Amino acid sequence: MTRVLGETAVLDDVGPARRGRAYPAAGATSALLVPAVLLLGGLLAWPVLRTVHASVTTDGRWVGAEHFRAALAAPGTGAVVARTVLWALVVPAVVTVLGYLLAAASRRSQEGGLVRLILVVPIAVPLVVTGITFRLLYDPDPERGLATLLAARLTGRSLADAPQMLGPGLVTVALMSAFVWAWVGLAVLVFRAALDAVPPSLADAVRAFGGNRRDVLWDAQWRPLLLRTAAVVFALVAVGTSRTFDLILVMAPGSVRDEAAVLAVRVWQTSNGVTTGEGAALGVVWLVAVVAGVLLAALFVRQAWPPPPGPAPASPSPAPPPPRRVVRLLAAAAAVAWLVPLGVLVATSLHAPVAAATRGWWSAPPGLASYRELIAGTELWRTLGVTTVLTVVVTAAVLAVALLAAYPLAWLTGPAAQATGLFLMAACVVPVQVIAGPVNEVLGVVLSSGTTRGLALVHMALGVPFAVLVLRNAFADLPAEQVRAARVGGRHWWGTLRLLARHNRPAVIAVAVLEFVQVWNDLAVGLLFSGPGAAPLGLFLAGQTRGFVANSGGLAAASVIASVLPVLLVVLARRHLVAGLVAGGVR
């Protein structure tokens, strides 16, 4: 020990690195964890236990599996469960395959950066806006729906007999196409980072032993890294499909919503925001499936991703050549196709309300009448103000709470660290529809039900687990030298935490951006917990879809306005997002 700037410092530069050297004192640890424990305990853990209790009791009387049998035997439940499983298998597989192909096709080429930029944009578009966009694209009237018109031309049918993508037979396919459009960009980012982490020397070694192109792909890319990356992407998208509530509620017309419903919608329809026996039982089934899926994925993908870079070789191998021209052209064509839905949205917004409601955007001159009518009103500005304040406050609060909790949790090792990681991962995927009733009870106790304060508390509870998980692992992955420097430079624990956060600026930025976009783009939390004076932007847009055709011009204009800020944030911070996402593995 020695004295540095009047404070006692421990300098142990000998022996193996120990995470505990930056660990705060026991009293400080308890204080740092209190905000996260209160949020997770009061608005996640207790509501989950309350829902489980309601699923096996009636008025406090034990009934066992009675509610489960009744819920699963209800008409249409079997189809809903099968459709949910279909979403969890087909959509992740399509996203994973497309993500890898597009990431590989857009590497090391002049147009590759533009292709990836185009594919990233839908990540930030709110799912409500995605639903509106594809509902415009798949409008069953060929006079307004571009896809319906093209389908009629390609199949040789009359316009009256054109295939109906939003009809009962194809609505699930239409919804899945919209979800794939929104998520492929994320898969491209993750696969691109993985491909860049593969050392070129591996391919040289495979070729030196007589390997062909297939051997290089399998032994130099898929086996060392890409197979695990594909598992990460598949698991991430599979978990994401459990939150298709916004998309189905907005995109599926009311007449076919039952044919498109998954468990997210059925639980909401059954419980209607309160704790009931059958609704709670169905919610428990869904919760167990989601949590089990993410925990199995976490146990399968246990190592850090991407692997830490090794020492640079004395004579680095030359970078592999860019993909062949035909492959790059296919990637460019895919990027153009990805722009079509956004083009339809923008083009519809540039028409007067009457013109947008009666004919296609291609048959009328553009104008700004829909924007002028929307901006002249007060409702949009009011909901934008509420959403902006809510999003900024929640993002700042989640970041602060997560930093405080991640600091002591980062230095745990062994079973304690793994158990903490598994708990946080499970908390990340708790569907809000499952716990809506108990959460409303808690908000009523603290006099926050139906208020902006209540919305903020729910968003904070839902956002803290992921933020803590990412920041905890980012702190734990710091080199020992930086930890020593932070411990010496920070006179107190908050000084050490500030320096550690500075060393992990990319992870902090990723958490802030992802939380901001999540809250800004939300519909489910606003629908379940908002009141008359606390309607966020997603709820405003969903409300406008009740008269979809008549409101299509103004709705498209409002959707464009709602998407500008999250798209800008994601595009500007896209280099940090992958680091933030992949830092959430279990150590």
Side-chain angles (χ1 to χ4, degrees), residues 392-408:
V392 171
V393 170
V394 169
T395 302
V398 166
L399 196 58
V401 172
L403 282 169
L404 294 179
Y407 176 49

Side-chain angles (χ1 to χ4, degrees), residues 53 105 124 199 243 323 352 369 405 519:
H53 178 265
R243 300 189 175 184
V519 178

Side-chain angles (χ1 to χ4, degrees), residues 152-419:
R153 300 299 189 203
L154 293 174
T155 59
R157 300 183 183 182
S158 65
L159 295 182
D161 296 329
Q164 300 294 309
M165 290 297 294
L166 295 180
L170 295 174
V171 64
T172 297
V173 176
L175 288 163
M176 287 182 174
S177 68
F179 193 88
V180 169
W181 178 82
W183 279 69
V184 159
L186 177 63
V188 170
L189 284 180
V190 176
F191 274 114
R192 170 63 193 279
L195 288 167
D196 289 345
V198 175
S201 57
L202 287 179
D204 295 339
V206 173
R207 294 190 190 97
F209 282 92
N212 55 27
R213 184 185 295 270
R214 181 184 302 175
D215 296 326
V216 170
L217 177 64
W218 177 249
D219 293 324
Q221 291 187 357
W222 277 95
R223 287 182 63 185
L225 186 59
L226 292 185
L227 186 61
R228 190 172 296 273
T229 304
V232 172
V233 173
F234 188 97
L236 185 65
V237 179
V239 171
T241 60
S242 67
R243 300 189 175 184
T244 56
F245 178 81
D246 300 12
L247 187 64
I248 295 174
L249 204 65
V250 171
M251 184 175 166
S255 58
V256 298
R257 189 169 293 162
D258 288 341
E259 286 77 9
V262 293
L263 280 173
V265 177
R266 178 56 67 94
V267 169
W268 170 66
Q269 291 173 331
T270 304
S271 63
N272 198 25
V274 297
T275 307
T276 62
E278 291 186 17
L282 202 58
V284 169
V285 172
W286 183 27
L287 176 63
V288 169
V290 173
V291 172
V294 74
L295 293 184
L296 285 174
L299 292 173
F300 177 72
V301 189
R302 294 174 65 107
Q303 71 182 29
W305 187 100
S315 56
S317 303
R324 289 175 293 181
R325 182 174 179 81
V326 64
V327 176
R328 300 201 305 270
L329 289 177
L330 289 176
V336 172
W338 247 247
L339 281 176
V340 170
L342 291 177
V344 169
L345 179 68
V346 174
T348 304
S349 72
L350 292 175
H351 287 79
V354 175
T358 56
R359 49 185 171 169
W361 51 266
W362 59 86
S363 60
L368 297 175
S370 292
Y371 284 97
R372 284 196 293 266
E373 183 176 308
L374 184 68
I375 293 173
T378 60
E379 191 173 4
L380 175 66
W381 296 112
R382 182 169 60 252
T383 191
L384 278 174
V386 169
T387 304
T388 301
V389 173
L390 175 69
T391 305
V392 171
V393 170
V394 169
T395 302
V398 166
L399 196 58
V401 172
L403 282 169
L404 294 179
Y407 176 49
L409 294 179
W411 319 118
L412 295 178
T413 58
Q418 294 180 4

